[in-house]
Amino acid sequence: MEIARNIVDTSKFNHEAEPPYELRWQDFQMAMQDVYDFFFDVNSHLLNKGLQRFDDMLRPAIMSGLLSDMLTASLARHSRVLIENEYFNGHPDLIMQGVYPDNAVKAGSEGVEIKTTRKAGGAVDTHGARDQWMCVFVYTVDTISEPATNRLPMRFTEVYLGKVTVEDFRKNPRSELGTRTATLHRDGVKKLRDSWIYRL
């Protein structure tokens, strides 16, 4: 069964953007294309066996976590100076090679934190407000087209990369069993959106 394969539209990059840490717009292009190719390969295999698409199997939170991990790994492969943080659940996800012992740090300042969300505009919850370079990939998943075999593949629609500070966040109310989170407030989101990398 033939399914659609997404191709990153290079005309939608902000070629005037100046990302930190020697990042190039081509690094983002290759990272997103790596994800597209993975989903194409996996979904082709699943559909040929009469199974659901990978996109339809995953719950939204798991999908976002998977995409964040894949993008982090791919950007690390293509980047000139950034690598994956070897500290489990360390911050940020990408760090400058050689800056921290064993390229691992629990809470570092030199690097880029990677987030993914389905929320247009890039507002995303974090586990805490901090000064950081934050990169947010916004994506869409077709969950309504019928039959399901005709659904469009997952697609990235926006990428933002900006330097934000503790003052750019608002703390979210926490229920008795909830985890404390923080989200960029209106001015913080505007700061992030002003430093866009990719927009469809």
Side-chain angles (χ1 to χ4, degrees):
M1 179 179 296
E2 291 291 329
I3 65 171
R5 181 198 293 268
N6 266 332
I7 303 294
V8 178
D9 186 346
T10 59
S11 71
K12 302 302 182 181
F13 280 95
N14 178 6
H15 295 280
E16 296 182 1
E18 297 180 354
Y21 303 113
E22 300 295 321
L23 284 167
R24 303 156 295 187
W25 67 264
Q26 293 93 338
D27 299 328
F28 295 91
Q29 175 197 3
M30 290 184 285
M32 290 190 288
Q33 194 62 54
D34 285 345
V35 175
Y36 285 164
D37 292 345
F38 171 84
F39 273 81
F40 175 82
D41 292 340
V42 170
N43 284 333
S44 294
H45 179 73
L46 291 172
L47 290 177
N48 282 332
K49 289 185 171 294
L51 300 171
Q52 280 185 307
R53 297 182 320 152
F54 198 41
D55 318 39
D56 295 326
M57 294 181 184
L58 299 178
R59 289 181 294 174
I62 295 176
M63 178 76 154
S64 287
L66 173 67
L67 290 177
S68 294
D69 289 345
M70 292 179 69
L71 290 163
T72 297
S74 189
L75 277 170
R77 283 196 303 272
H78 300 300
S79 169
R80 301 177 69 193
V81 302
L82 294 175
I83 60 173
E84 289 187 77
N85 187 349
E86 295 297 329
Y87 194 99
F88 179 69
N89 274 344
H91 183 280
D93 298 309
L94 293 170
I95 58 175
M96 284 194 70
Q97 182 171 341
V99 170
Y100 302 104
D102 300 318
N103 291 317
V105 61
K106 181 177 181 180
S109 58
E110 294 299 328
V112 177
E113 179 73 358
I114 303 297
K115 298 291 185 184
T116 62
T117 181
R118 297 189 191 191
K119 297 177 184 176
V124 61
D125 290 342
T126 69
H127 290 301
R130 63 180 86 199
D131 298 347
Q132 62 185 322
W133 281 99
M134 178 186 289
C135 182
V136 179
F137 290 79
V138 180
Y139 67 97
T140 60
V141 175
D142 182 1
T143 60
I144 58 175
S145 295
E146 293 294 343
T149 53
N150 290 341
R151 288 178 181 169
L152 297 171
M154 182 278 300
R155 181 176 64 168
F156 295 109
T157 57
E158 305 161 53
V159 181
Y160 303 99
L161 174 56
K163 183 70 177 286
V164 295
T165 67
V166 172
E167 290 73 25
D168 293 321
F169 288 86
R170 60 174 170 78
K171 293 181 180 179
N172 300 321
R174 181 178 64 170
S175 65
E176 186 173 335
L177 299 177
T179 301
R180 186 181 302 278
T181 62
T183 307
L184 292 172
H185 55 53
R186 184 176 61 183
D187 292 338
V189 170
K190 181 181 183 304
K191 180 190 293 187
L192 184 70
R193 290 174 183 168
D194 285 344
S195 19
W196 66 277
I197 300 292
Y198 180 83
R199 287 192 305 215
L200 289 183

